[in-house]
Amino acid sequence: MQKDQLLSRRRMLLAGAAALGAAGSAGAFLAGGAEDGAGTAAPAPAPGPQARQALRPSAFRLQPLTGDASPRAAPHKLTVRKEPILRISGRGRRMMLTFDDGPDPDYTPHILDTLAKYDVRAMFFVCGECVVEHRELLARMADEGHVVGNHTWTHPLLPTLDRKQIRSEMKRTSDVIEDAYGERPQWFRAPYGAWNRAAFQLGAELGMEPMAWTVDTTDWTEPGTGTIVDRVESGAAPGVVVLSHDAGGDRSQTVRAIRTWLPHLLDSGYHMTVPTRRV
Ligand SMILES: [Zn+2]
């Protein structure tokens, strides 16, 4: 896959999103909600054009964001968080799904298939060393409207590294994401949720917001498909960010679990969202 093709494909997606935004993102979102509210009992409605539009990333905005200060243009105005974002706005019964540690050719495609089946977008926090092996999976994420975040190159415990090493872990990963996905990541997640001051500072310098989670499925412990389903469904609430893993071990339980919990949450009236692109 040529980078130019990737970039143009990504641009088309973004252009479509911008057009929708110009037409009134709130209207698009409300239309989707009204549709669902008056909806029939069909468990997995085939996503029509209306549903697709209602779920476009541009129809939503995470809050709060740090604004549009460009690190390159005005480093002295850089806003550095002291804590990561843990939740999103819950308006409209929104939730967000995130998948860490991939991409992995054995599991990520199945998760993407399930998300596509229900016309849902998610965030994937990827590791650079996995991306270089499977760039095609990032191209697919771009094609299908998912948001890719930076999860470092080798998944180290950041507080054990010096600044230079942390910067290298983050920057190399942003570079390979840009190459494979078509744009640089705007979101960063520390491995193991182990943040430190340097990680916040360096992430901000690289143009990224720190994103954590609200509900941990602990799927990496392979607790059983049913347990993963229970954890997601009992933790579901407006504004919740769900953490799952699509790599790093045997993730077949994760793959099977989402096939159960995702339609359940959608039937319960939740809308899965991803952050809009900062401009
Ligand atoms: Zn991780």
Side-chain angles (χ1 to χ4, degrees):
M1 183 59 61
Q2 295 301 308
K3 187 177 177 185
D4 284 349
Q5 287 176 283
L6 265 180
L7 286 171
S8 62
R9 196 167 50 190
R10 185 70 184 150
R11 274 190 214 107
M12 283 170 59
L13 277 172
L14 292 170
L20 179 71
S25 57
F29 180 73
L30 289 172
E35 246 175 35
D36 287 0
T40 64
Q50 295 283 340
R52 281 182 188 283
Q53 284 198 348
L55 283 168
R56 276 188 185 277
S58 64
F60 313 101
R61 182 170 283 277
L62 280 172
Q63 61 175 6
L65 295 175
T66 54
D68 60 359
S70 158
R72 289 189 193 91
H76 57 286
K77 288 185 180 172
L78 201 59
T79 302
V80 179
R81 290 181 187 273
K82 293 187 170 66
E83 294 176 347
I85 297 167
L86 302 174
R87 309 174 62 86
I88 59 170
S89 161
R91 263 181 303 135
R93 290 177 75 78
R94 288 177 234 176
M95 286 179 55
M96 191 163 78
L97 309 182
T98 65
F99 298 89
D100 285 12
D101 300 356
D104 184 301
D106 291 333
Y107 307 109
T108 308
H110 294 297
I111 289 169
L112 288 169
D113 288 347
T114 302
L115 295 173
K117 178 178 178 182
Y118 296 101
D119 200 26
V120 160
R121 312 287 176 267
M123 289 190 84
F124 288 84
F125 285 92
V126 298
C127 290
E129 65 181 4
C130 300
V131 175
V132 288
E133 300 291 323
H134 303 289
R135 292 168 188 265
E136 74 285 357
L137 290 172
L138 264 72
R140 180 173 172 191
M141 290 170 190
D143 274 350
E144 298 180 2
H146 301 294
V147 173
V148 170
N150 183 323
H151 198 42
T152 73
W153 191 268
T154 62
H155 206 274
L157 202 51
L158 293 180
T160 67
L161 305 184
D162 66 29
R163 261 182 101 81
K164 193 175 167 190
Q165 290 169 318
I166 295 175
R167 190 171 197 286
S168 170
E169 283 275 346
M170 296 169 87
K171 182 172 182 307
R172 289 177 73 197
T173 303
S174 286
D175 289 346
V176 76
I177 289 172
E178 181 175 24
D179 195 45
Y181 176 75
E183 65 184 54
R184 294 183 80 73
Q186 299 189 336
W187 304 91
F188 168 70
R189 177 175 281 170
Y192 314 103
W195 308 86
N196 65 2
R197 207 179 150 93
F200 290 125
Q201 175 82 39
L202 293 165
E205 285 178 11
L206 291 167
M208 297 185 288
E209 293 276 18
M211 173 68 72
W213 59 85
T214 326
V215 170
D216 185 352
T217 63
T218 64
D219 58 342
W220 59 275
T221 66
E222 299 171 27
T225 303
T227 300
I228 297 172
V229 171
D230 286 346
R231 283 181 182 152
V232 176
E233 295 186 359
S234 62
V240 157
V241 176
V242 178
L243 166 64
S244 300
H245 297 81
D246 59 328
D250 181 346
R251 296 292 167 259
S252 51
Q253 294 178 2
T254 306
V255 166
R256 283 197 296 273
I258 189 177
R259 291 173 183 154
T260 299
W261 61 252
L262 182 55
H264 286 178
L265 293 188
L266 295 172
D267 284 350
S268 302
Y270 287 105
H271 297 270
M272 305 304 155
T273 189
V274 288
T276 189
R277 190 167 177 271
R278 283 178 295 159
V279 290

